[in-house]
Amino acid sequence: MGWEAWFALGVVALIFVGLAMNRASDALLMGGVVAMGVAGILTPAEMFAGFSNTGMLTVGALFVVTAGLRETGVLQTLGRWVLGRARDERSVLRRLVSVTAMSAFLNNTPIVAMFIPIVEDWCRKHHVSSSRLLIPLSYFSILGGTCTLIGTSTNLVVNGLMIDAAKSDPNLAETLYEMGLFELSRMGLPYAVIGTAYLLLVGRWLLPQRKGFREQMDAASREYLANMRIEPGCRLAGKNVDCLLY
């Protein structure tokens, strides 16, 4: 391999290390592209090609739509309606199946982010380990996201790369073409049904019973009785206990 290949591998390795350390992902990825351009490995057109990719632009548009639904309260209302008056873990698990359908037409990442606090609140009120429901929530969204073209950003990016490859090489135009909205459904729907059935019938028996930090603190909390004496001239003299709470 030439020095260009080793340089590219080094940049990719540094980016992976930075992402693993939870560094600024935007700065890391942009810095990697700039470094490749400064080294002369990428041309200016190749450096900025991703910003004009139709798949990436579609992903950005879906995030805007989902953010609008979240800010207006539509997703929160929908999430509370999905859980409804569920009283046990099995009932909530069945209701979360609707996330599969929602993820097929909205980006699955913001949907999961919206449902996490709702599910955690329900688990805290009903003394259920959140890991019993958050793991199925993630898998339901993944299963639904692979049923349509817009269900997940990965499908859109791959579709954009296929279109670009077909344009650059006419010999690939017959095999690489733009996918339709429901083209992935032929494979996605059957395996989404199988995966959902597995989570409901078998997977729930394998889910861990882990306690989060808040649950551990609640379990370790104790109640204490303290006596306090008010000295003459204290500003608390003559007041009731309610004033201490504010």
Side-chain angles (χ1 to χ4, degrees), residues 81-99:
W81 176 79
V82 168
L83 294 185
R85 298 181 179 180
R87 296 300 179 185
D88 55 17
E89 177 185 331
R90 184 180 300 180
S91 177
V92 174
L93 194 61
R94 289 196 300 265
R95 292 171 181 267
L96 287 178
V97 175
S98 60
V99 174

Side-chain angles (χ1 to χ4, degrees), residues 50 52-62 152-161 163-164:
S52 61
N53 185 280
T54 56
M56 293 301 299
L57 294 176
T58 306
V59 172
L62 286 176
T152 181
S153 57
T154 306
N155 297 343
L156 292 167
V157 172
V158 171
N159 183 56
L161 293 175
I163 296 173
D164 293 339

Side-chain angles (χ1 to χ4, degrees), residues 46-216:
E46 292 173 336
M47 291 175 58
F48 295 99
F51 294 99
S52 61
N53 185 280
T54 56
M56 293 301 299
L57 294 176
T58 306
V59 172
L62 286 176
F63 270 106
V64 173
V65 172
T66 307
L69 294 175
R70 183 179 65 250
E71 294 298 327
T72 55
V74 174
L75 288 181
Q76 287 81 354
T77 302
L78 183 60
R80 294 187 180 93
W81 176 79
V82 168
L83 294 185
R85 298 181 179 180
R87 296 300 179 185
D88 55 17
E89 177 185 331
R90 184 180 300 180
S91 177
V92 174
L93 194 61
R94 289 196 300 265
R95 292 171 181 267
L96 287 178
V97 175
S98 60
V99 174
T100 304
M102 288 192 292
S103 297
F105 299 98
L106 292 172
N107 197 278
N108 51 11
T109 301
I111 289 180
V112 173
M114 180 270 297
F115 266 95
I116 285 177
I118 298 175
V119 172
E120 286 184 337
D121 289 342
W122 186 94
C123 291
R124 185 165 55 254
K125 292 178 182 178
H126 295 82
H127 306 288
V128 176
S129 176
S130 58
S131 62
R132 301 280 299 174
L133 295 174
L134 291 180
I135 293 178
L137 170 64
S138 175
Y139 279 101
F140 283 142
S141 67
I142 294 174
L143 292 172
T146 55
C147 291
T148 62
L149 178 63
I150 63 174
T152 181
S153 57
T154 306
N155 297 343
L156 292 167
V157 172
V158 171
N159 183 56
L161 293 175
M162 291 171 57
I163 296 173
D164 293 339
K167 290 180 179 179
S168 60
D169 189 351
N171 296 325
L172 299 176
E174 296 182 358
T175 56
L176 297 179
Y177 54 89
E178 184 176 0
M179 291 188 293
L181 179 61
F182 297 103
E183 185 166 350
L184 298 173
S185 302
R186 291 177 293 178
M187 293 295 296
L189 280 176
Y191 113 90
V193 171
I194 295 173
T196 300
Y198 176 83
L199 287 172
L200 294 176
L201 301 176
V202 180
R204 67 186 187 90
W205 299 104
L206 305 176
L207 294 172
Q209 188 77 23
R210 297 179 183 147
K211 290 184 178 180
F213 177 76
R214 183 179 297 178
E215 295 170 339
Q216 294 177 3

